[in-house]
Amino acid sequence: MRNATIKHVAELAGVSLKTVSRVINHEASVHERTREKVQRAIDTLGYRPDPSARSLRSTRARLLGLVYDNPNAHYIISMQRGVLSVCRESGYGLQIHPCDASSPKLAEELCALVQHSRLAGLVLAPPMSEQPELIKTLADAGIAFMRIISARSDPQDGYPCVYVDDRDAAYAITEHLIQLGHQRIGFLWGGREHRSSGERYQGYEDALKDYGITLDRKLIVAGDYSFDDGFRGARKLLALKDRPTAIFGSNDEIAAGVLAAAHSGGISVPWELSITGFEDSPFSKQSWPALTTARQATEEIGRHAARRLISGLEHDAHGEPVDPVNHGFSPELVVRGSTGPLRSAPKKRTR
């Protein structure tokens, strides 16, 4: 097979990428039967390993890497806490690696990180976890990883992940506002490089459509997952002649910026404006009024990702098959004081 990759070998042999890598590097921990099966697949496909990729797997400490590029400090701290707790339980260390997801040399940077720090594997947070070319490069280099991604269901793309159903949670938030009587509902995007931004917008749009509410593009503002973008976006929406009666911020930091903009403009929340966020961060409970939001179990998501990654590493070390089933999380609507009724709620249109 022309241009065969390590992934093709793993699929043909019915083993994980790391098991193939162990065979290539002649590691003694692989069972002989598994070794023979992998070697037959290599011979059948005519696969020739890249020497530089082989060097990445030569020696490993019990150390994981958490890779992220996200302006939301609460998200990163919660994710780190979850991953670290499992690492400690399992006798692994954790190295934190912030990076620039838009860097053209990101794949090279992460391969060097694994090699120089002798990492056993990587937990990839969004948006790196959602870059197909990066994921393929890491897999072809034989690097073990676990992705955290935004998706409505298991993508079944051959790579391990923990997925979060942002779309359905955003639908529930928008539906809550509609049932309170709101029809002019503003939406403030998070960073477009994050798949979660698009999924949350899709939930918002789908809910409007299902209730027969015409989408008004003037009520949709681009931005990033930050307080400042929430403040700027809200000021833009609140300056409209026919301003929205509710604003959906794509995360709690954005929503906090909206709340600050409303307060600075003398707009009463929720009497004159309802506001929602997403995530259930600490300040969503501490703001006044407290924010209606979607509770995302970020720490538990981090724990599950680390547990899956370490389990895969331990199974590979003994030549055992790895559980291919990916697990999903669904954020839940949490209603607090930042949303209130406007008028009688419209009836949902049947499909």
Side-chain angles (χ1 to χ4, degrees):
M1 179 179 180
R2 178 178 291 183
N3 298 325
T5 68
I6 193 172
K7 185 181 177 184
H8 294 132
V9 174
E11 290 174 349
L12 183 59
V15 298
S16 69
L17 294 169
K18 190 177 179 189
T19 296
V20 176
S21 180
R22 288 182 180 278
V23 171
I24 292 170
N25 287 296
H26 308 291
E27 295 187 21
S29 59
V30 183
H31 290 177
E32 189 59 33
R33 185 180 300 175
T34 302
R35 188 184 304 278
E36 290 173 357
K37 184 165 56 175
V38 171
Q39 190 58 54
R40 281 197 300 271
I42 290 173
D43 294 341
T44 299
L45 296 171
Y47 172 68
R48 294 293 178 267
D50 181 349
S52 63
R54 289 182 61 183
S55 67
L56 291 176
R57 305 299 299 166
S58 56
T59 55
R60 288 292 177 267
R62 292 174 68 85
L63 182 65
L64 300 185
L66 172 60
V67 181
Y68 71 90
D69 177 9
N70 192 312
N72 185 340
H74 169 69
Y75 177 87
I76 296 305
I77 291 170
S78 297
M79 183 65 62
Q80 177 181 330
R81 188 183 298 121
V83 174
L84 183 58
S85 67
V86 172
C87 285
R88 285 173 171 165
E89 293 168 3
S90 307
Y92 279 73
L94 179 64
Q95 180 168 325
I96 310 299
H97 186 77
C99 60
D100 179 1
S102 64
S103 170
K105 295 185 177 181
L106 181 58
E108 180 182 332
E109 175 186 339
L110 296 186
C111 286
L113 171 70
V114 171
Q115 182 179 20
H116 296 154
S117 298
R118 298 175 57 242
L119 301 181
L122 300 174
V123 174
L124 300 173
M128 282 78 61
S129 57
E130 298 167 340
Q131 297 180 6
E133 287 302 314
L134 173 63
I135 297 306
K136 183 179 183 301
T137 299
L138 296 178
D140 288 347
I143 295 174
F145 59 80
M146 183 59 58
R147 300 174 297 162
I148 298 169
I149 66 172
S150 178
R152 301 175 209 181
S153 60
D154 185 350
Q156 298 182 339
D157 56 5
Y159 301 115
C161 72
V162 177
Y163 59 93
V164 181
D165 187 354
D166 290 283
R167 181 267 175 196
D168 279 4
Y171 186 105
I173 289 173
T174 310
E175 183 174 54
H176 165 68
L177 292 171
I178 294 170
Q179 291 179 345
L180 287 172
H182 299 281
Q183 295 202 19
R184 290 193 59 74
I185 303 171
F187 183 88
L188 301 184
W189 274 76
R192 288 183 181 266
E193 70 276 12
H194 291 261
R195 189 183 297 170
S196 60
S197 297
E199 289 291 315
R200 292 172 193 179
Y201 173 77
Q202 193 62 56
Y204 159 81
E205 186 179 89
D206 288 349
L208 293 182
K209 181 179 179 181
D210 286 350
Y211 280 88
I213 299 172
T214 302
L215 182 68
D216 185 346
R217 295 288 176 186
K218 295 192 295 294
L219 298 182
I220 302 166
V221 180
D224 204 351
Y225 283 128
S226 70
F227 176 94
D228 288 345
D229 276 18
F231 187 87
R232 283 191 290 265
R235 291 290 292 269
K236 181 176 181 179
L237 291 176
L238 296 175
L240 294 173
K241 183 177 180 180
D242 189 9
R243 72 189 190 195
T245 61
I247 297 177
F248 179 173
S250 288
N251 76 346
D252 289 343
E253 285 198 45
I254 292 174
V258 176
L259 188 60
H263 288 334
S264 70
I267 296 172
S268 178
V269 178
W271 312 115
E272 296 177 274
L273 178 71
S274 285
I275 300 171
T276 68
F278 198 112
E279 191 177 5
D280 196 32
S281 59
F283 54 78
S284 70
K285 310 175 190 67
Q286 298 160 0
S287 64
W288 184 258
L291 288 171
T292 292
T293 186
R295 180 175 292 132
Q296 179 173 277
T298 304
E299 188 170 335
E300 181 56 33
I301 290 168
R303 276 197 291 268
H304 190 82
R307 199 174 293 121
R308 279 282 314 277
L309 177 57
I310 291 173
S311 175
L313 293 169
E314 299 300 325
H315 278 74
D316 277 345
H318 297 92
E320 300 170 352
V322 178
D323 182 5
V325 178
N326 293 320
H327 184 73
F329 286 82
S330 299
E332 299 177 351
L333 175 67
V334 179
V335 178
R336 298 196 180 104
S338 67
T339 54
L342 177 69
R343 60 183 74 89
S344 59
K347 294 181 180 179
K348 184 174 181 178
R349 188 176 68 185
T350 57
R351 290 178 182 267

